[in-house]
Amino acid sequence: MALQFSGAAPGLPGIGEGAMAPDDLDLMLAALRQALTRPRGALAAPAEAEQIAEAAERAVGQSICEAGIGLSQALDVYAGLLSQQGVATDHPGYLAYIGAAPTPAAALMDGLLSASGMIGSGWLGGAGLIWAENQALRWLSDLAGLPAAASGCFVSGGTAGNFSALVAARQRYRDRVGMRPGLLLVADGAHSSIIVSARLLDLHVVVVASDETGRLTATALARTLAELEADGRLQQVVAVVAVAGSTNAGLIDDLAGVGQLARRHGIWFHVDAAYGGAFLCVPSVRATFAGIELADSLIIDPHKGLFVPYDCCALLYADPGPVTAAFTQDASYLEQINQSQQCNPMHYAFHLSRRARGVPLWFSLAVYGSGAYRHTLEQILDLSARLRTRIACHPRLTLIPACGLSVILFRREGWQARDYDDWAQRCLRDGIALVVPSSWQGETVMRLCIMNTRLDEQRCEALLADL
Ligand SMILES: *Cc1c(COP(=O)(O)O)cnc(C)c1O
């Protein structure tokens, strides 16, 4: 029998049988259907916060109030106003940053997961979901060629993944050398989240100069290691970080050379494949990732190239056993979980409560097959190559030849930084694309990143017409 609560005001419905009026449920499901099948035509800059506030106020008054405004009104505000503000990352014109274009199966499973009432922290609460997540992790781990014992968990994003991987690296360092301050070796093109992680972990960043193509090489790393040795600081190196698909240029470091050198020195080798990792399943570029199998830790963001909704990053460790010591939280109410021999994702990263956010990836892979993934990523590379060729043939544009995967960098003859900004604003104002300028070796350039297959000839034409 359900507990009875006193008081006049009705409480909240829970998830369960009869929890929602059938009409409300229909409204929600219709809205979901509409969101999934919405045309990706319009693309516009978001309104200011005050304008959104005014429009919401006009529609329903104060949206958060004592009595609630009810589902249909609140849904109207969401569907008619809030979800229209901002640029969807799955839009064909979303060419700035790195977009996420979820498959319908992944997007819907994300909602289903929320309705499951399950927590993905430990086996006890979410065994089945964690099993599914581990299937997806295994697929990624095998693509990378990590050892059979490799595993890890899903975290919220590349930033969280890089941070946790470096926590694990520092743990191993401390087990070995104690509390001496540590050094983190990174290339000058390392992602900003690596730098902020180093700051949070109190690691001193040593920048290794990348080569003229922007890659971290074994030669440069060897030079830095020799300098550190001469200074008597070699023993203080906690980890070396390489990138497999840099965000700015799509470059892949010399993973084999760097990995072998790190291994020879007993230095933790972390590979940041947040963006590039998805392309491991494409045979034509797989060889450029050679050496990724040497990683002690590896991150891949499925919310970038594996077509799942935010927020999802796969964090893998070659040898997960010792890692748990860094993350296990001691609390009397957690003792049972901490002592269990089952897979408990809470022990592999800086988190405790977590949704089983890897399930949509498992589901989408299961539904469509890895072949569909490979095919789509091949199409994306193909689309990028074609756009590169057009830019290279354009009379006023120069392609930056080093850029790789689905990132395209180019300069426009005679343009200063302001001109690139103006062009980006025009593209958004005209509803063509969201683009942002970037820089390459100190010079302002334009950067495009393709992460879905919806970019058509017409939009490419429109994009290039104004250059
Ligand atoms: C995107 C990205 C990150 C950060 O990932 P988030 O999911 O945005 O936190 C880290 N490294 C690289 C190489 C990336 O492309």
Side-chain angles (χ1 to χ4, degrees):
M1 199 183 78
L3 285 175
Q4 297 294 316
F5 292 94
S6 58
L12 293 172
I15 287 180
E17 217 178 318
M20 191 178 254
D23 285 355
D24 282 352
L25 187 58
D26 286 344
L27 283 177
M28 285 301 285
L29 294 178
L32 194 57
R33 183 186 298 267
Q34 202 175 4
L36 280 173
T37 55
R38 73 193 188 280
R40 268 80 175 173
L43 185 148
E48 302 293 328
E50 302 87 68
Q51 293 170 296
I52 296 178
E54 274 168 31
E57 174 85 31
R58 254 197 323 274
V60 293
Q62 192 69 22
S63 55
I64 299 180
C65 59
E66 172 73 13
I69 59 174
L71 187 134
S72 98
Q73 286 225 57
L75 184 59
D76 278 350
V77 174
Y78 174 81
L81 174 66
L82 307 182
S83 67
Q84 308 297 318
Q85 297 298 326
V87 181
T89 60
D90 62 358
H91 191 280
Y94 190 93
L95 303 170
Y97 317 108
I98 299 173
T103 64
L108 285 169
M109 178 45 80
D110 206 55
L112 211 50
L113 182 67
S114 295
S116 73
M118 285 188 159
I119 184 165
S121 305
W123 196 257
L124 178 67
L129 304 185
I130 293 166
W131 179 86
E133 289 193 294
N134 288 345
Q135 292 285 109
L137 287 175
R138 172 96 340 255
W139 182 70
L140 291 171
S141 177
D142 289 347
L143 280 178
L146 294 182
S151 79
C153 64
F154 287 93
V155 295
S156 65
T159 300
N162 280 332
F163 176 73
S164 286
L166 294 176
V167 169
R170 192 185 63 168
Q171 176 73 24
R172 189 173 82 176
Y173 169 79
R174 283 187 170 173
D175 289 347
R176 236 181 246 174
V177 309
M179 299 298 284
R180 277 175 79 190
L183 309 176
L184 185 68
L185 306 193
V186 306
D188 44 21
H191 191 264
S192 46
S193 60
I194 297 288
I195 307 303
V196 78
S197 297
R199 200 186 307 146
L200 292 171
L201 291 165
D202 227 356
L203 299 175
H204 180 72
V205 171
V206 177
V207 176
V208 185
S210 48
D211 71 0
E212 63 291 345
T213 64
R215 289 178 180 82
L216 172 64
T217 63
T219 318
L221 179 62
R223 206 178 306 129
T224 301
L225 292 174
E227 283 164 13
L228 290 171
E229 185 159 31
D231 279 357
R233 296 200 295 162
L234 187 58
Q235 295 311 312
Q236 279 172 265
V237 177
V238 172
V240 57
V241 179
V243 66
S246 61
T247 322
N248 193 46
L251 299 176
I252 302 171
D253 289 339
D254 171 16
L255 303 177
V258 170
Q260 279 156 11
L261 200 51
R263 195 165 270 197
R264 207 171 313 139
H265 284 85
I267 297 170
W268 184 286
F269 179 41
H270 174 64
V271 178
D272 178 357
Y275 157 62
F279 296 100
L280 281 167
C281 69
V282 179
S284 63
V285 293
R286 178 61 182 84
T288 57
F289 291 90
I292 199 168
E293 70 281 359
L294 300 171
D296 289 291
S297 52
L298 166 68
I299 65 150
I300 298 172
D301 268 357
H303 69 211
K304 281 177 177 160
L306 294 171
F307 314 106
V308 301
Y310 296 102
D311 46 8
C312 186
C313 168
L315 165 63
L316 285 159
Y317 302 101
D319 181 13
V323 166
T324 59
F327 298 109
T328 299
Q329 301 191 24
D330 288 317
S332 36
Y333 72 95
L334 294 173
E335 263 172 35
Q336 204 191 357
I337 297 179
N338 287 347
Q339 282 163 15
S340 90
Q341 296 304 306
Q342 306 286 7
C343 175
N344 298 304
M346 59 181 264
H347 292 154
Y348 293 125
F350 176 62
H351 56 196
L352 178 52
S353 298
R354 66 181 287 276
R355 66 194 268 102
R357 59 167 63 80
V359 172
L361 175 61
W362 163 79
F363 188 66
S364 187
L365 280 165
V367 169
Y368 303 113
S370 56
Y373 268 78
R374 184 181 64 246
H375 185 64
T376 304
L377 285 156
E378 273 167 352
Q379 282 182 308
I380 285 172
L381 290 179
D382 194 47
L383 202 55
S384 311
R386 277 187 286 145
L387 192 50
R388 248 183 224 125
T389 307
R390 289 176 75 149
I391 287 169
C393 295
H394 193 289
R396 289 177 299 280
L397 305 180
T398 313
L399 184 73
I400 308 294
C403 61
L405 297 176
S406 67
V407 180
I408 300 158
L409 296 175
F410 61 94
R411 73 170 70 81
R412 164 67 161 76
E413 198 182 289
W415 273 12
Q416 307 297 319
R418 271 251 329 263
D419 301 308
Y420 288 95
D421 283 332
D422 290 346
W423 182 66
Q425 277 170 23
R426 273 202 308 277
C427 284
L428 182 58
R429 199 188 51 222
D430 298 345
I432 298 167
L434 180 72
V435 292
V436 285
S438 184
S439 68
W440 174 251
Q441 297 179 340
E443 172 200 6
T444 304
V445 294
M446 206 60 219
R447 174 181 177 278
L448 307 175
C449 181
I450 300 178
M451 220 55 251
N452 69 56
T453 53
R454 298 190 179 111
L455 181 64
D456 57 16
E457 283 294 310
Q458 217 180 340
R459 196 174 294 272
C460 285
E461 280 300 333
L463 192 68
L464 299 180
D466 195 20
L467 286 160

